[in-house]
Amino acid sequence: MPAISSTFDSQEPFLSELLRDIESGKIQLPDFQRPWVWDDVHIRALLASVSLSYPIGAAMLMQTGGDGARFYPRLIEGVELEKPPEPERLVLDGQQRLTSLYGALFCQNSVSTRDEKQKKLDRLYYFDLQKCLDPDADRLEAIISIPADRIIRADFGRKVKLDISSQEKEYEAGLVPANILLGTEFPTWRLGYMQHFQMDVKKINWITRFEQEVWMRLQQFKVPVIQLLRNTPKEAVCQVFEHVNTGGVALTVFELMTATFAADDFQLREDWDSRKEYLHQHDILQDVGGTEFLQAVTLLSSYKRYHAGGSAVSVKRKDVLNLKLDEYKKYAKLIEAGFINAARLLNLEKIFNKPNLPYGTQFVPLAAVCAYIGKNFEKNTVRNKLKKWYWCGVLGEMYGGANESRYAQDIQDLIAWIDGQSNNEPRTIRDATFSPLRLLSLQSRQSAAYKGLMALMIQQGSHDFASGDPIAHTNGFNLPVDIHHIFPRAWAQEQDIERYYWNSIVNKAPLTSRTNRILSGHAPSIYLERIFKRNAVSEEDLEEILATHFIEPENLYEDNFDDFLLNRASELLDVIEIVMGKPVSGRDSEEVQEEFGGVL
């Protein structure tokens, strides 16, 4: 067995050493780190802690070079170098603290920060001599921040409360600049302070005590550092970063890969932005983001390697993180076209926009498969296979959890089935089932199956009760369409019908908001009469319209909810069987008969 070697070591350098390495560019940030965000109060509190030798927590750095992870670096905020060197280490955790300390204690420029109300500020930090030496004073009150011009004004700028715009004025105010305390400037400032007060014994005593009680603490302050060694693999670096990062915002795969590709001088974000602009012209693709795009590229690339006799198909997080730049460049255009064809397929199935999209996750394998089959997508036999797989995924609710394994199995199964390499249907089709009782528990559009059934109603030709227009046509012209109760809620509650029944998808249909106002809580027999009078719809036409919603007209004319529920549920199951290409089992079970009042 190979020897077990550590992936990290620990150190305890002086704070001044770390800040010097930041100043020189030896320590930088990986480009995936988010911007520095600490406000003025946090900075002052941090300075107070350091000046009292209180611990501020460990930092985590990563060595660069070697065969491990490579990320594009950037200088820590406030550092200005004309030609930054290649960094020796990158900051994984501790960015906010190290950036704040560098800006306040080392950088000669003002610190760009914010107040508690997030208003932008430019500040220089000072230690109040007397307050630092007062044992009863709160050290936070001894740390003050001053505008960049070193003048504090009041009364809308008309009055000057404090002016320390020269060194002599700093002496008079007894304020020591924080950004000289870790460099070589403090001894000179100290001498100038004593000379300014003509070697006054009291002043000498103050500055001497400050030197001993504050300056020396800063000089001797050490920061615990955990350092990942340079050969640590990228997925380990990313996992560590997410576990230790105190910013509280999860890092996406896309951000990590942006930093990775940037190390090879490729701007992933710019490339994705141009593709996103094109893809997002289609409403149904609005939620496709950079991470989903990378997953689809990785899935296609992994399948190509597998098909050529390589390793098993995999699209787990580590696989995306290990995607090579040349693979991305090779397959990105194909995946872009794959997403477009995937959107076309769903539009054919009357799924037009993201609010009505059952599963955004199902786009990933669908786009990858469409990218692989290319022009074969135009074959009707191929599209029919894709549709069957799609509806089994939706109505079988197969894409609701962790999906990486299903992505991998579906691309293999689908392509083999489409290309005729296998007569076996994909496992998603074989495993998908739909329970008749699920019709009652589908109560809101949070469920993929709920959205899918609504799309199927539109696909089967649902027409608006009042206008008679196909709902698919109405959708296309952006007229307000939503899902409404057929037996209105108010009426059902008056009849003491359980919510479990009247709020189920069996009692819902896609209708325009104008038609819903006509329904307005009345019994079906009443609102149908209103429709006759207001819209001059004949009884024969109305019955044809109701049939497009799988509704038996007599049940509405007679306000017969029980028979309506039984008949419509049966019709919906017939449609489900057609699109899934398999029977729905249990339609005659005792439990079904008890809930619906008969066999479905």
Side-chain angles (χ1 to χ4, degrees), residues 157-192:
R158 289 190 286 265
K159 294 181 180 179
V160 175
K161 289 182 63 178
L162 177 65
D163 182 350
I164 52 171
S165 56
S166 68
Q167 206 164 69
E168 289 72 20
K169 292 177 179 178
E170 291 175 349
Y171 300 152
E172 287 292 335
L175 295 176
V176 185
N179 60 8
I180 69 170
L181 295 176
L182 286 181
T184 59
E185 300 92 342
F186 177 69
T188 302
W189 192 95
R190 178 183 184 276
L191 179 60

mmCIF file of all heavy atoms in Angstrom, residues 157-192:
data_model
loop_
_atom_site.group_PDB
_atom_site.id
_atom_site.type_symbol
_atom_site.label_atom_id
_atom_site.label_comp_id
_atom_site.label_asym_id
_atom_site.label_seq_id
_atom_site.Cartn_x
_atom_site.Cartn_y
_atom_site.Cartn_z
ATOM 1 N N GLY A 157 -21.350 69.304 6.397
ATOM 2 C CA GLY A 157 -20.060 69.711 5.875
ATOM 3 C C GLY A 157 -19.655 71.136 6.196
ATOM 4 O O GLY A 157 -18.548 71.560 5.849
ATOM 5 N N ARG A 158 -20.521 71.863 6.929
ATOM 6 C CA ARG A 158 -20.202 73.282 7.190
ATOM 7 C C ARG A 158 -19.275 73.458 8.382
ATOM 8 O O ARG A 158 -18.616 74.484 8.506
ATOM 9 C CB ARG A 158 -21.502 74.062 7.411
ATOM 10 C CG ARG A 158 -22.330 74.246 6.137
ATOM 11 C CD ARG A 158 -23.464 75.234 6.373
ATOM 12 N NE ARG A 158 -24.520 74.643 7.170
ATOM 13 C CZ ARG A 158 -25.608 74.080 6.658
ATOM 14 N NH1 ARG A 158 -25.753 74.018 5.332
ATOM 15 N NH2 ARG A 158 -26.547 73.566 7.427
ATOM 16 N N LYS A 159 -19.220 72.460 9.283
ATOM 17 C CA LYS A 159 -18.366 72.582 10.468
ATOM 18 C C LYS A 159 -17.325 71.462 10.489
ATOM 19 O O LYS A 159 -17.591 70.348 10.055
ATOM 20 C CB LYS A 159 -19.212 72.503 11.748
ATOM 21 C CG LYS A 159 -20.166 73.676 11.937
ATOM 22 C CD LYS A 159 -20.940 73.518 13.238
ATOM 23 C CE LYS A 159 -21.911 74.690 13.444
ATOM 24 N NZ LYS A 159 -22.697 74.532 14.712
ATOM 25 N N VAL A 160 -16.153 71.766 10.989
ATOM 26 C CA VAL A 160 -15.079 70.790 11.125
ATOM 27 C C VAL A 160 -15.005 70.346 12.573
ATOM 28 O O VAL A 160 -14.738 71.147 13.472
ATOM 29 C CB VAL A 160 -13.726 71.386 10.675
ATOM 30 C CG1 VAL A 160 -12.609 70.386 10.957
ATOM 31 C CG2 VAL A 160 -13.766 71.744 9.192
ATOM 32 N N LYS A 161 -15.266 69.054 12.802
ATOM 33 C CA LYS A 161 -15.200 68.511 14.160
ATOM 34 C C LYS A 161 -13.788 68.051 14.516
ATOM 35 O O LYS A 161 -13.362 68.153 15.662
ATOM 36 C CB LYS A 161 -16.156 67.323 14.305
ATOM 37 C CG LYS A 161 -17.623 67.705 14.298
ATOM 38 C CD LYS A 161 -18.495 66.471 14.496
ATOM 39 C CE LYS A 161 -18.257 65.808 15.842
ATOM 40 N NZ LYS A 161 -19.126 64.633 16.053
ATOM 41 N N LEU A 162 -13.075 67.534 13.524
ATOM 42 C CA LEU A 162 -11.724 67.031 13.759
ATOM 43 C C LEU A 162 -10.912 67.146 12.481
ATOM 44 O O LEU A 162 -11.374 66.737 11.413
ATOM 45 C CB LEU A 162 -11.776 65.566 14.213
ATOM 46 C CG LEU A 162 -10.416 64.879 14.440
ATOM 47 C CD1 LEU A 162 -9.673 65.526 15.606
ATOM 48 C CD2 LEU A 162 -10.603 63.387 14.678
ATOM 49 N N ASP A 163 -9.730 67.715 12.616
ATOM 50 C CA ASP A 163 -8.839 67.858 11.456
ATOM 51 C C ASP A 163 -7.474 67.293 11.839
ATOM 52 O O ASP A 163 -6.773 67.834 12.692
ATOM 53 C CB ASP A 163 -8.718 69.340 11.080
ATOM 54 C CG ASP A 163 -7.842 69.560 9.838
ATOM 55 O OD1 ASP A 163 -7.195 68.587 9.395
ATOM 56 O OD2 ASP A 163 -7.805 70.689 9.332
ATOM 57 N N ILE A 164 -7.112 66.175 11.212
ATOM 58 C CA ILE A 164 -5.779 65.596 11.446
ATOM 59 C C ILE A 164 -5.076 65.422 10.094
ATOM 60 O O ILE A 164 -4.426 64.419 9.829
ATOM 61 C CB ILE A 164 -5.863 64.261 12.214
ATOM 62 C CG1 ILE A 164 -6.853 63.289 11.537
ATOM 63 C CG2 ILE A 164 -6.254 64.468 13.658
ATOM 64 C CD1 ILE A 164 -6.803 61.887 12.139
ATOM 65 N N SER A 165 -5.225 66.418 9.235
ATOM 66 C CA SER A 165 -4.722 66.341 7.872
ATOM 67 C C SER A 165 -3.209 66.544 7.764
ATOM 68 O O SER A 165 -2.664 66.507 6.675
ATOM 69 C CB SER A 165 -5.446 67.364 6.981
ATOM 70 O OG SER A 165 -5.303 68.670 7.515
ATOM 71 N N SER A 166 -2.552 66.774 8.879
ATOM 72 C CA SER A 166 -1.088 66.854 8.884
ATOM 73 C C SER A 166 -0.577 66.054 10.072
ATOM 74 O O SER A 166 -1.315 65.739 11.019
ATOM 75 C CB SER A 166 -0.619 68.311 8.997
ATOM 76 O OG SER A 166 -0.931 68.842 10.277
ATOM 77 N N GLN A 167 0.718 65.728 10.047
ATOM 78 C CA GLN A 167 1.298 64.955 11.133
ATOM 79 C C GLN A 167 1.251 65.720 12.450
ATOM 80 O O GLN A 167 0.997 65.146 13.520
ATOM 81 C CB GLN A 167 2.741 64.564 10.786
ATOM 82 C CG GLN A 167 3.209 63.302 11.485
ATOM 83 C CD GLN A 167 4.449 62.720 10.848
ATOM 84 O OE1 GLN A 167 5.516 63.336 10.945
ATOM 85 N NE2 GLN A 167 4.322 61.576 10.199
ATOM 86 N N GLU A 168 1.468 67.024 12.377
ATOM 87 C CA GLU A 168 1.411 67.833 13.589
ATOM 88 C C GLU A 168 0.029 67.777 14.215
ATOM 89 O O GLU A 168 -0.111 67.741 15.455
ATOM 90 C CB GLU A 168 1.782 69.287 13.263
ATOM 91 C CG GLU A 168 3.252 69.523 12.936
ATOM 92 C CD GLU A 168 3.652 68.969 11.573
ATOM 93 O OE1 GLU A 168 2.736 68.760 10.733
ATOM 94 O OE2 GLU A 168 4.857 68.740 11.361
ATOM 95 N N LYS A 169 -1.008 67.775 13.380
ATOM 96 C CA LYS A 169 -2.368 67.710 13.907
ATOM 97 C C LYS A 169 -2.666 66.324 14.500
ATOM 98 O O LYS A 169 -3.456 66.197 15.436
ATOM 99 C CB LYS A 169 -3.366 68.059 12.805
ATOM 100 C CG LYS A 169 -3.289 69.535 12.377
ATOM 101 C CD LYS A 169 -4.253 69.831 11.234
ATOM 102 C CE LYS A 169 -4.176 71.319 10.850
ATOM 103 N NZ LYS A 169 -5.055 71.657 9.726
ATOM 104 N N GLU A 170 -2.048 65.287 13.951
ATOM 105 C CA GLU A 170 -2.177 63.956 14.545
ATOM 106 C C GLU A 170 -1.577 63.961 15.950
ATOM 107 O O GLU A 170 -2.173 63.402 16.882
ATOM 108 C CB GLU A 170 -1.448 62.915 13.684
ATOM 109 C CG GLU A 170 -2.105 62.640 12.341
ATOM 110 C CD GLU A 170 -1.288 61.695 11.473
ATOM 111 O OE1 GLU A 170 -0.114 61.420 11.824
ATOM 112 O OE2 GLU A 170 -1.810 61.238 10.436
ATOM 113 N N TYR A 171 -0.400 64.598 16.089
ATOM 114 C CA TYR A 171 0.236 64.681 17.407
ATOM 115 C C TYR A 171 -0.686 65.378 18.399
ATOM 116 O O TYR A 171 -0.876 64.918 19.537
ATOM 117 C CB TYR A 171 1.556 65.451 17.327
ATOM 118 C CG TYR A 171 2.599 64.844 16.411
ATOM 119 C CD1 TYR A 171 3.558 65.662 15.797
ATOM 120 C CD2 TYR A 171 2.651 63.470 16.164
ATOM 121 C CE1 TYR A 171 4.530 65.138 14.960
ATOM 122 C CE2 TYR A 171 3.625 62.931 15.330
ATOM 123 C CZ TYR A 171 4.559 63.766 14.722
ATOM 124 O OH TYR A 171 5.526 63.244 13.907
ATOM 125 N N GLU A 172 -1.249 66.521 17.966
ATOM 126 C CA GLU A 172 -2.094 67.319 18.866
ATOM 127 C C GLU A 172 -3.321 66.530 19.317
ATOM 128 O O GLU A 172 -3.733 66.612 20.463
ATOM 129 C CB GLU A 172 -2.529 68.611 18.167
ATOM 130 C CG GLU A 172 -1.433 69.643 18.020
ATOM 131 C CD GLU A 172 -1.005 70.233 19.362
ATOM 132 O OE1 GLU A 172 -1.821 70.220 20.327
ATOM 133 O OE2 GLU A 172 0.155 70.685 19.467
ATOM 134 N N ALA A 173 -3.880 65.750 18.381
ATOM 135 C CA ALA A 173 -5.084 64.982 18.715
ATOM 136 C C ALA A 173 -4.763 63.686 19.447
ATOM 137 O O ALA A 173 -5.657 63.029 19.990
ATOM 138 C CB ALA A 173 -5.858 64.669 17.432
ATOM 139 N N GLY A 174 -3.499 63.324 19.477
ATOM 140 C CA GLY A 174 -3.119 62.067 20.135
ATOM 141 C C GLY A 174 -3.646 60.849 19.392
ATOM 142 O O GLY A 174 -4.037 59.860 20.017
ATOM 143 N N LEU A 175 -3.624 60.910 18.066
ATOM 144 C CA LEU A 175 -4.134 59.822 17.240
ATOM 145 C C LEU A 175 -2.991 59.228 16.418
ATOM 146 O O LEU A 175 -2.341 59.919 15.628
ATOM 147 C CB LEU A 175 -5.244 60.323 16.313
ATOM 148 C CG LEU A 175 -6.518 60.814 17.016
ATOM 149 C CD1 LEU A 175 -7.513 61.370 15.995
ATOM 150 C CD2 LEU A 175 -7.176 59.689 17.812
ATOM 151 N N VAL A 176 -2.758 57.943 16.596
ATOM 152 C CA VAL A 176 -1.663 57.263 15.916
ATOM 153 C C VAL A 176 -2.223 56.528 14.691
ATOM 154 O O VAL A 176 -3.140 55.707 14.824
ATOM 155 C CB VAL A 176 -0.985 56.229 16.840
ATOM 156 C CG1 VAL A 176 0.228 55.614 16.146
ATOM 157 C CG2 VAL A 176 -0.603 56.861 18.162
ATOM 158 N N PRO A 177 -1.698 56.814 13.489
ATOM 159 C CA PRO A 177 -2.195 56.120 12.289
ATOM 160 C C PRO A 177 -1.956 54.615 12.392
ATOM 161 O O PRO A 177 -0.847 54.169 12.712
ATOM 162 C CB PRO A 177 -1.358 56.717 11.149
ATOM 163 C CG PRO A 177 -0.795 57.988 11.692
ATOM 164 C CD PRO A 177 -0.619 57.772 13.165
ATOM 165 N N ALA A 178 -2.990 53.842 12.123
ATOM 166 C CA ALA A 178 -2.861 52.388 12.215
ATOM 167 C C ALA A 178 -1.914 51.838 11.154
ATOM 168 O O ALA A 178 -1.214 50.849 11.387
ATOM 169 C CB ALA A 178 -4.239 51.735 12.068
ATOM 170 N N ASN A 179 -1.861 52.513 9.987
ATOM 171 C CA ASN A 179 -1.091 51.941 8.879
ATOM 172 C C ASN A 179 0.416 52.196 8.965
ATOM 173 O O ASN A 179 1.144 51.955 8.003
ATOM 174 C CB ASN A 179 -1.629 52.410 7.529
ATOM 175 C CG ASN A 179 -1.571 53.913 7.359
ATOM 176 O OD1 ASN A 179 -0.999 54.627 8.187
ATOM 177 N ND2 ASN A 179 -2.164 54.404 6.280
ATOM 178 N N ILE A 180 0.900 52.694 10.130
ATOM 179 C CA ILE A 180 2.349 52.797 10.329
ATOM 180 C C ILE A 180 2.840 51.818 11.387
ATOM 181 O O ILE A 180 4.042 51.725 11.636
ATOM 182 C CB ILE A 180 2.757 54.238 10.734
ATOM 183 C CG1 ILE A 180 2.252 54.560 12.145
ATOM 184 C CG2 ILE A 180 2.270 55.256 9.709
ATOM 185 C CD1 ILE A 180 2.806 55.860 12.709
ATOM 186 N N LEU A 181 1.923 51.067 11.988
ATOM 187 C CA LEU A 181 2.287 50.297 13.168
ATOM 188 C C LEU A 181 2.993 48.979 12.865
ATOM 189 O O LEU A 181 3.641 48.413 13.739
ATOM 190 C CB LEU A 181 1.047 50.042 14.030
ATOM 191 C CG LEU A 181 0.422 51.306 14.638
ATOM 192 C CD1 LEU A 181 -0.851 50.960 15.392
ATOM 193 C CD2 LEU A 181 1.429 51.996 15.564
ATOM 194 N N LEU A 182 2.886 48.473 11.648
ATOM 195 C CA LEU A 182 3.572 47.227 11.317
ATOM 196 C C LEU A 182 4.706 47.438 10.320
ATOM 197 O O LEU A 182 5.353 46.478 9.913
ATOM 198 C CB LEU A 182 2.578 46.197 10.757
ATOM 199 C CG LEU A 182 1.642 45.564 11.793
ATOM 200 C CD1 LEU A 182 0.723 44.555 11.136
ATOM 201 C CD2 LEU A 182 2.438 44.899 12.909
ATOM 202 N N GLY A 183 4.934 48.693 9.939
ATOM 203 C CA GLY A 183 6.037 49.000 9.045
ATOM 204 C C GLY A 183 7.196 49.601 9.809
ATOM 205 O O GLY A 183 7.380 49.389 11.012
ATOM 206 N N THR A 184 7.967 50.389 9.105
ATOM 207 C CA THR A 184 9.156 51.005 9.723
ATOM 208 C C THR A 184 8.903 52.455 10.127
ATOM 209 O O THR A 184 9.805 53.127 10.635
ATOM 210 C CB THR A 184 10.330 50.961 8.724
ATOM 211 O OG1 THR A 184 9.958 51.668 7.521
ATOM 212 C CG2 THR A 184 10.687 49.522 8.370
ATOM 213 N N GLU A 185 7.677 52.930 9.925
ATOM 214 C CA GLU A 185 7.410 54.350 10.114
ATOM 215 C C GLU A 185 7.145 54.737 11.566
ATOM 216 O O GLU A 185 7.284 55.901 11.932
ATOM 217 C CB GLU A 185 6.194 54.793 9.262
ATOM 218 C CG GLU A 185 6.360 54.582 7.768
ATOM 219 C CD GLU A 185 5.824 53.234 7.321
ATOM 220 O OE1 GLU A 185 5.649 52.350 8.207
ATOM 221 O OE2 GLU A 185 5.596 53.058 6.113
ATOM 222 N N PHE A 186 6.715 53.769 12.398
ATOM 223 C CA PHE A 186 6.313 54.148 13.750
ATOM 224 C C PHE A 186 7.433 54.789 14.571
ATOM 225 O O PHE A 186 7.191 55.805 15.255
ATOM 226 C CB PHE A 186 5.728 52.957 14.516
ATOM 227 C CG PHE A 186 5.370 53.287 15.935
ATOM 228 C CD1 PHE A 186 4.297 54.137 16.217
ATOM 229 C CD2 PHE A 186 6.114 52.792 17.001
ATOM 230 C CE1 PHE A 186 3.971 54.474 17.523
ATOM 231 C CE2 PHE A 186 5.795 53.118 18.308
ATOM 232 C CZ PHE A 186 4.728 53.964 18.567
ATOM 233 N N PRO A 187 8.654 54.267 14.569
ATOM 234 C CA PRO A 187 9.710 54.923 15.347
ATOM 235 C C PRO A 187 9.889 56.395 14.947
ATOM 236 O O PRO A 187 10.114 57.244 15.824
ATOM 237 C CB PRO A 187 10.948 54.091 15.037
ATOM 238 C CG PRO A 187 10.416 52.733 14.733
ATOM 239 C CD PRO A 187 9.145 52.992 13.981
ATOM 240 N N THR A 188 9.796 56.698 13.666
ATOM 241 C CA THR A 188 9.934 58.085 13.209
ATOM 242 C C THR A 188 8.764 58.917 13.724
ATOM 243 O O THR A 188 8.960 60.060 14.186
ATOM 244 C CB THR A 188 9.985 58.127 11.670
ATOM 245 O OG1 THR A 188 11.073 57.319 11.222
ATOM 246 C CG2 THR A 188 10.158 59.557 11.171
ATOM 247 N N TRP A 189 7.549 58.354 13.649
ATOM 248 C CA TRP A 189 6.365 59.085 14.135
ATOM 249 C C TRP A 189 6.496 59.323 15.643
ATOM 250 O O TRP A 189 6.190 60.406 16.130
ATOM 251 C CB TRP A 189 5.105 58.281 13.840
ATOM 252 C CG TRP A 189 3.812 59.033 14.016
ATOM 253 C CD1 TRP A 189 3.100 59.684 13.059
ATOM 254 C CD2 TRP A 189 3.075 59.221 15.243
ATOM 255 N NE1 TRP A 189 1.972 60.263 13.589
ATOM 256 C CE2 TRP A 189 1.927 59.998 14.944
ATOM 257 C CE3 TRP A 189 3.279 58.818 16.561
ATOM 258 C CZ2 TRP A 189 0.987 60.370 15.905
ATOM 259 C CZ3 TRP A 189 2.345 59.197 17.524
ATOM 260 C CH2 TRP A 189 1.220 59.959 17.195
ATOM 261 N N ARG A 190 6.979 58.312 16.374
ATOM 262 C CA ARG A 190 7.161 58.416 17.826
ATOM 263 C C ARG A 190 8.131 59.541 18.173
ATOM 264 O O ARG A 190 7.868 60.355 19.077
ATOM 265 C CB ARG A 190 7.678 57.075 18.354
ATOM 266 C CG ARG A 190 7.982 57.008 19.835
ATOM 267 C CD ARG A 190 8.557 55.622 20.162
ATOM 268 N NE ARG A 190 8.786 55.460 21.576
ATOM 269 C CZ ARG A 190 9.875 55.869 22.220
ATOM 270 N NH1 ARG A 190 10.836 56.513 21.554
ATOM 271 N NH2 ARG A 190 10.006 55.665 23.521
ATOM 272 N N LEU A 191 9.250 59.594 17.440
ATOM 273 C CA LEU A 191 10.229 60.653 17.694
ATOM 274 C C LEU A 191 9.633 62.024 17.395
ATOM 275 O O LEU A 191 9.796 62.977 18.179
ATOM 276 C CB LEU A 191 11.473 60.422 16.836
ATOM 277 C CG LEU A 191 12.595 61.467 16.960
ATOM 278 C CD1 LEU A 191 13.115 61.531 18.409
ATOM 279 C CD2 LEU A 191 13.733 61.156 15.991
ATOM 280 N N GLY A 192 8.900 62.109 16.290
ATOM 281 C CA GLY A 192 8.263 63.387 15.953
ATOM 282 C C GLY A 192 7.250 63.814 17.004
ATOM 283 O O GLY A 192 7.123 65.007 17.310
#
